[in-house]
Amino acid sequence: MIVALGAVAAVVLVATSDDGSSGKQSPAESSDTTGSTPTPSLSIPSELPSELPSLPSGVPDLPTDLPSGLPTDLESLLPTPAGNEVPYYMLKAGDCFNVDSSKPGQAAKRSCRTAHDAEVVKVTELAGTYSTDAALKKAATDLCEKPLQAKAAKQPAGTVRGTLVQYPDSTGFKLGIDNVACSLAADPGGNRKLTKPLT
């Protein structure tokens, strides 16, 4: 802006000094009363548009009443899977469920009074740093060993024939899934079922 005004002022000075008059005057002593020094003119439009542009017709209206709070539990954020299937890390102690080898990490919750594969004895959390699936498996197995042995010792003979330890893989653990579900099973991989809650 200053450079442009300086260029305009220089052009005006050259034009007034070469007007052929014999008296040489400096620009400050000019006798021109109309003011030969240009003044910048800032022009602002006198009219503003009367209408603002309209939004395209395909834009949906915003809701006027937004929810006041967000859910605090993870379960409410996830859709409920069909057939009572849940990720294993959503199980709680006392939950009974069936497993499907074609859906690892999933558990189909069942009533403990109907035939089911296993019952959760304890849900615990991994702590520490694990970079491999093998390290996670060992840590999860170690966490479940004592609670499963204690609960199995209280069951009538022949009730349970195995254990089921569900834990995250290294990718899931890096994402923050650290739950381990420690369960007793009637017959892992077999046809026997539990038919009532563990004692």
Side-chain angles (χ1 to χ4, degrees):
M1 188 87 154
I2 294 172
V3 173
L5 289 176
V8 170
V11 170
V12 172
L13 290 176
V14 169
T16 56
S17 65
D18 288 338
D19 64 356
S21 63
S22 59
K24 293 194 175 197
Q25 298 176 338
S26 68
E29 298 172 355
S30 174
S31 61
D32 190 1
T33 57
T34 60
S36 62
T37 305
T39 56
S41 169
L42 301 175
S43 94
I44 299 175
S46 59
E47 292 184 25
L48 293 175
S50 60
E51 292 183 26
L52 295 174
S54 61
L55 292 174
S57 61
V59 176
D61 292 335
L62 293 174
T64 55
D65 56 325
L66 296 173
S68 60
L70 295 173
T72 57
D73 61 335
L74 180 61
E75 291 179 63
S76 67
L77 297 175
L78 301 173
T80 305
N84 293 326
E85 283 188 13
V86 297
Y88 85 87
Y89 54 82
M90 293 179 75
L91 293 171
K92 296 175 180 64
D95 284 348
C96 295
F97 62 95
N98 284 341
V99 292
D100 183 345
S101 60
S102 68
K103 298 178 183 178
Q106 294 291 312
K109 290 174 76 171
R110 298 288 182 256
S111 165
C112 292
R113 301 260 176 227
T114 61
H116 56 279
D117 294 330
E119 181 179 328
V120 180
V121 171
K122 182 176 183 173
V123 176
T124 187
E125 293 180 356
L126 292 161
T129 305
Y130 307 97
S131 57
T132 65
D133 291 340
L136 283 163
K137 179 179 180 179
K138 180 173 180 354
T141 302
D142 290 347
L143 286 172
C144 290
E145 184 176 8
K146 287 182 182 177
L148 290 178
Q149 285 178 352
K151 187 73 169 182
K154 297 177 184 176
Q155 305 309 309
T159 304
V160 294
R161 294 186 179 175
T163 62
L164 180 60
V165 176
Q166 295 168 297
Y167 57 94
D169 61 11
S170 55
T171 302
F173 186 70
K174 287 176 187 173
L175 293 173
I177 300 171
D178 58 2
N179 283 9
V180 176
C182 311
S183 306
L184 288 176
D187 189 12
N191 294 327
R192 282 188 77 246
K193 300 276 189 183
L194 296 172
T195 56
K196 59 184 180 179
L198 298 173
T199 56

